[in-house]
Amino acid sequence: MNAEVRIVTDSNSMIPWYLADELGIVVVPLTITIGKTELTENRDLDVGDTYRSLRLGTPAMTSAPSPGAFASAYEQLAGSPVVSVHIGSNFSGTVNAAQLGASISGLDVRVVDTGVASFMAGCCVIDAGRAALDGGDVDTVVARAERTAAEVETIFTLAEIDRARAGGRFDVSSQEDEGVPVIRLVAGAFEQICNVAFDVDAASVMFDALVDHPRRLRIGVGDADAGPVVDELFERLRVARPDDEVIRYVVGPTVAAHAGMGTFGVVYHALDAR
C-alpha cells in the first residue's frame, strides 16, 4: 500500500489553523517586515498587534520562506510523498523557494504553482488535503489542487489605496480614489468592478454576486480587522446558501500589507461534480 500523500503550503494560503490540523497540512510561514520589525506569519504571531502596527501606516514588505525552511518541512515528512501547494509565482517567490527546498532535501516532492493568492490558494490546499485523506496518489492530489486553482474566484475590497499602489500589485486609477474599490480576480486578472461609499455596500456587492449562484459552492469570507460588517456577510451567506461550505478565515498580514487594513472579501468555487 502506498504511503499517504502529505501536503505542505505557505502561510499566504490563509488556511485556518483548525483545518490545517484536521487535514495534517504543514504550513511554512512567510515573513512580513513592518518598518524595522521582522515578523513570522505563523500561528504564534499576534495578529492583533500586527494589525495595529499596519494601521499606523508604517511601510511593510513581505518575503517568501527560505529554501531551507521548505527543505526542513519536507524532511519532517520523509517517508511520505509530498505535494507542496503555493501562492502563484506571479505574486511571490515562494514557488521558486519551494522548488529549491525540494532539491536540497532530495525527497519526493511535487510543487504546485496555483497562480492565485491568499485563500484562493487555501481552497486549493484544502482540496489537495481532502484528496490525500481519501487515499489519492500524488497525481490525483495535484490534479485536484490544479482544478480548484483554475476555477476559484474572489471579490474583495482595497481598504488602503496608497498601500495597494505602493505594493505594485493593483492598478487603481486616480479618478477612482473616492470610496472603497471593489476588485474581482478571475483567471489571474484583476478587474476593478466598482467603487462604493461604505463597506456595507461592498458586502452587498459580494452577497448579490453569490446568492443566486446555480452551483453548490465553497465560500470563504475573510477580513483584516474590517469589523462586524464581515461577520454579518458571513451569516447572511450561511443562511441564504445552507448547502454550501462557508468558511470564515483571517486575512493575514502578508495580504493586508498589500490590500490594506480593513480589507475583506469572498473567495468561491464550485464543489459539485467533484
Side-chain angles (χ1 to χ4, degrees):
M1 185 174 181
N2 292 332
E4 178 185 321
V5 176
R6 297 297 305 274
I7 310 300
V8 174
T9 189
D10 58 83
S11 62
N12 186 267
S13 69
M14 306 295 150
I15 182 170
W17 291 113
Y18 76 89
L19 276 175
D21 292 341
E22 177 185 311
L23 298 173
I25 293 166
V26 176
V27 181
V28 180
L30 275 73
T31 297
I32 178 168
T33 303
I34 305 174
K36 297 182 180 180
T37 302
E38 188 175 280
L39 302 167
T40 302
E41 193 177 45
N42 57 25
R43 70 175 71 208
D44 296 324
L45 178 66
D46 189 323
V47 176
D49 278 351
T50 307
Y51 281 167
R52 284 187 282 276
S53 296
L54 288 172
R55 281 199 180 277
L56 293 174
T58 308
M61 297 176 55
T62 59
S63 55
S66 69
F70 279 116
S72 178
Y74 301 147
E75 288 162 1
Q76 293 174 30
L77 304 176
S80 297
V82 174
V83 175
S84 202
V85 184
H86 298 292
I87 177 178
S89 58
N90 46 332
F91 295 103
S92 168
T94 299
V95 164
N96 184 56
Q99 291 169 333
L100 289 172
S103 178
I104 291 168
S105 73
L107 298 172
D108 180 14
V109 179
R110 287 273 293 276
V111 178
V112 177
D113 180 350
T114 65
V116 295
S118 187
F119 194 64
M120 297 177 82
C123 289
C124 304
V125 174
I126 292 168
D127 280 342
R130 290 181 177 166
L133 286 181
D134 287 343
D137 61 12
V138 167
D139 288 340
T140 299
V141 171
V142 169
R144 182 69 64 84
E146 290 179 339
R147 182 167 63 179
T148 300
E151 296 175 353
V152 68
E153 302 179 4
T154 184
I155 303 172
F156 62 98
T157 63
L158 288 180
E160 296 179 82
I161 294 175
D162 289 343
R163 192 181 288 281
R165 284 203 184 107
R169 286 179 168 83
F170 306 105
D171 179 17
V172 184
S173 56
S174 59
Q175 67 266 30
E176 294 171 325
D177 282 356
E178 292 186 6
V180 181
V182 181
I183 309 293
R184 186 195 307 271
L185 175 59
V186 179
F190 291 107
E191 172 194 7
Q192 187 169 344
I193 58 176
C194 64
N195 253 44
V196 296
F198 302 103
D199 282 348
V200 66
D201 301 318
S204 292
V205 170
M206 297 172 195
F207 181 83
D208 291 345
L210 297 178
V211 65
D212 293 323
H213 198 288
R215 299 174 68 182
R216 179 171 175 261
L217 301 174
R218 172 182 292 132
I219 302 172
V221 181
D223 73 301
D225 198 28
V229 65
V230 188
D231 290 326
E232 292 165 6
L233 174 61
F234 174 72
E235 290 301 328
R236 287 183 71 196
L237 286 167
R238 287 209 316 155
V239 171
R241 298 186 59 89
D243 295 329
D244 289 356
E245 179 184 358
V246 187
I247 298 172
R248 190 75 167 85
Y249 71 95
V250 174
V251 173
T254 59
V255 172
H258 299 287
M261 283 305 305
T263 187
F264 70 95
V266 292
V267 170
Y268 55 95
H269 66 93
L271 286 175
D272 52 359
R274 284 179 171 259

